[in-house]
Amino acid sequence: MANDLAHAAKELGIKYFLISYVDLFGALRAKLAPASAISGMQRSGAGFAGFATWLDMSPADADLFAVPDASSLIQLPWKPEVGWLASDLVMNNELVAQAPRNVLKATMQGAGSLGYQMKTGVECEFFLTNADGTKISDTADNATKPCYDQSALMRRYEVIKEICDCMLTLGWGPYQNDHEDANGQFEMNWDFADALVTADRHVFFKFMARSIAEKHGLRATFMPKPFIDLTGSGCHMHTSLWGPDGANLFEDEEGELGLSALGYNFIGGLIHSADALCAFTNPTVNSYKRINAPRTVSGATWAPNTVTYTGNNRTHMIRIPDAGRLELRLPDGAANPYLAPAAMLAAGLDGIQNQRDPGKRLDINMYTDGHKVKGAKKLPLNLLDAIRALEKSNVLRSALGAPLVEGYTKLKHEEWNAYSRHLTQWERDNTLDI
């Protein structure tokens, strides 16, 4: 990892740096700085007008500075003269409390003070569409059950190969790529790591996939449900807590399914705060067309709608696929790479600190027998319900900070209101003559 970015530029042949940050809505923002200016940027940051992005700021606020984290440096494999940097946002010489990367770092520091390091891995699903996003890019990809379709995968070999080659070059440890359950949908996996490292890579992966797709005349979209009759794009998050000695604290040979009591308390925390969590894991109007969806063409949505946990069973919100880790199947492709793990960690730590009991696991097929479950909470039906749940959550407000929760919910209310003012074709088709 680089410490002196000017020296790294000379060593690596970098001519420009993208000094980047992610706003509250998950949008990637950046300035392009020549290598000759990077020393000053490394000291003081690149200046931005905070009001110009989704950070709940006003035009009267002082300059916002993105201070690059040298350890996050990624040299673009497809354009090696450019280096990408994740940044921490500073205003008036203080860290911006609602900046997503700052929030994740602060939450992880709080966990570290308790002796916990969170490690995560994400399953990024996305669609390859035509340039305007109206249709999947491969007209021959029309099977009813297209998951793992070898021919459809290989017809997009050049795109998938180039993205995977980049991850290999970067040392991320990519280990599989597949055609997913929807026509035109793909998933790419790489090794799990420290949660901040994974979040930075997640941000870069989305940028990389979009950039390479554009090179091929296509569009990569992480929209949760771009096609109503097809399976939506999730971003399942695999999680474990580790101790200072490098031991996996979720692993216990004596524990049920190989998961420790600490792990079950973490699950208890996720269950307790699940409705509020959705504001971060499912952050758009479109998100709720995935987690509350009817059956798709393939026969299943692969997304939860009820707050339950299980063993190795993909019909529940939380799955324990094997010893020492859990999979939260709630997040979708729109989830903010920093806020989703921060909220997950905050809820899980609350579960540990309050020894929350997740209850008895369910091993049933929730898609066929979920209606028989008594007492399980339902996930929010829409973004507004999730925002309201977040506003009421003392757990997440306390852990993530009032500036983040208040700024985020304010902007999300504005987004919901903008959506509500939009007249849809469904309304015209069904109520014009009432």
Side-chain angles (χ1 to χ4, degrees):
M1 295 293 183
N3 290 316
D4 184 331
L5 290 173
H7 178 73
K10 292 178 182 177
E11 289 286 309
L12 299 172
I14 294 174
K15 297 179 181 179
Y16 289 91
F17 289 90
L18 281 166
I19 301 176
S20 305
Y21 70 91
V22 170
D23 67 19
L24 289 170
F25 283 11
L28 183 58
R29 314 288 183 162
K31 282 194 172 180
L32 185 66
S36 60
I38 197 61
S39 291
M41 298 288 182
Q42 187 169 6
R43 285 193 303 272
S44 304
F48 292 80
F51 175 70
T53 66
W54 298 114
L55 285 169
D56 188 33
M57 294 181 177
S58 82
D61 282 314
D63 285 344
L64 177 73
F65 290 95
V67 180
D69 181 345
S71 70
S72 72
L73 175 63
I74 297 175
Q75 190 172 9
L76 273 57
W78 69 95
K79 200 181 291 292
E81 66 183 28
V82 179
W84 179 88
L85 291 158
S87 304
D88 298 324
L89 296 185
V90 174
M91 182 179 284
N92 295 324
N93 296 314
E94 294 185 357
L95 288 170
V96 176
Q98 72 268 32
R101 193 171 192 266
N102 293 351
V103 171
L104 176 58
K105 288 178 71 174
T107 309
M108 291 182 67
Q109 287 166 1
S113 69
L114 300 172
Y116 305 131
Q117 177 195 15
M118 185 166 81
K119 295 187 180 184
T120 58
V122 291
E123 299 179 20
C124 284
E125 295 177 348
F126 60 96
F127 282 83
L128 288 176
T129 72
N130 58 0
D132 66 7
T134 57
K135 299 177 182 177
I136 64 169
S137 64
D138 179 5
T139 57
D141 185 355
N142 54 19
T144 300
K145 281 189 175 289
C147 204
Y148 314 124
D149 187 319
Q150 178 172 284
S151 296
L153 176 64
M154 292 306 292
R155 284 196 296 274
R156 288 291 168 258
Y157 172 77
E158 296 302 329
V159 180
I160 301 302
K161 171 188 178 295
E162 188 170 349
I163 298 171
C164 191
D165 281 349
C166 289
M167 291 194 284
L168 288 165
T169 298
L170 296 172
W172 291 8
Y175 55 89
Q176 63 184 17
N177 313 291
D178 68 71
H179 188 293
E180 268 298 310
D181 192 60
N183 307 107
Q185 186 185 47
F186 299 86
E187 180 183 305
M188 306 184 75
N189 303 121
W190 66 91
D191 286 345
F192 76 99
D194 173 86
L196 181 63
V197 172
T198 294
D200 286 340
R201 290 176 177 176
H202 186 183
V203 171
F204 187 82
F205 177 84
K206 294 173 82 169
F207 165 60
M208 177 168 63
R210 290 182 177 123
S211 299
I212 291 173
E214 286 175 5
K215 280 180 57 180
H216 293 266
L218 306 177
R219 185 173 190 164
T221 177
F222 295 84
M223 183 179 178
K225 192 80 167 177
F227 304 103
I228 200 65
D229 59 338
L230 300 179
T231 306
S233 288
C235 188
H236 305 151
M237 188 173 297
H238 295 258
T239 303
S240 51
L241 292 186
W242 296 67
D245 60 353
N248 181 351
L249 301 178
F250 277 9
E251 191 164 13
D252 184 354
E253 291 181 1
E254 310 254 326
E256 192 172 288
L257 301 179
L259 196 69
S260 66
L262 189 87
Y264 280 106
N265 288 152
F266 194 98
I267 290 174
L270 296 179
I271 288 173
H272 177 76
S273 296
D275 50 354
L277 265 180
C278 284
F280 297 114
T281 57
N282 310 91
T284 69
V285 169
N286 180 255
S287 294
Y288 297 85
K289 291 180 169 60
R290 168 184 168 266
I291 62 172
N292 290 301
R295 286 179 59 177
T296 62
V297 170
S298 72
T301 67
W302 301 102
N305 58 24
T306 307
V307 183
T308 56
Y309 84 100
T310 187
N312 198 354
N313 176 337
R314 288 178 168 86
T315 65
H316 293 255
M317 188 185 84
I318 298 169
R319 178 172 76 113
I320 304 170
D322 52 37
R325 65 186 167 107
L326 62 90
E327 175 192 42
L328 182 64
R329 298 179 61 81
L330 199 50
D332 60 42
N336 189 305
Y338 298 111
L339 294 182
M344 184 180 182
L345 178 58
L349 290 177
D350 167 71
I352 291 171
Q353 291 164 350
N354 290 288
Q355 295 187 320
R356 297 197 186 278
D357 182 358
K360 185 178 179 181
R361 79 169 192 271
L362 296 175
D363 294 326
I364 63 171
N365 182 342
M366 286 297 292
Y367 295 160
T368 58
D369 298 322
H371 63 284
K372 300 176 183 177
V373 177
K374 306 296 183 185
K377 292 191 296 184
K378 289 287 187 180
L379 292 171
L381 290 174
N382 53 53
L383 179 60
L384 181 61
D385 288 348
I387 297 167
R388 288 172 171 167
L390 175 58
E391 288 175 318
K392 294 176 183 176
S393 173
N394 292 326
V395 170
L396 296 187
R397 179 181 293 268
S398 174
L400 303 178
L404 179 276
V405 171
E406 290 173 6
Y408 186 80
T409 55
K410 171 189 168 184
L411 293 176
K412 282 295 175 181
H413 272 299
E414 291 175 3
E415 181 180 357
W416 176 263
N417 291 338
Y419 164 71
S420 298
R421 288 192 295 269
H422 176 69
L423 187 64
T424 66
Q425 189 60 43
W426 185 94
E427 292 168 276
R428 290 185 178 278
D429 291 343
N430 290 275
T431 61
L432 194 62
D433 294 323
I434 289 180

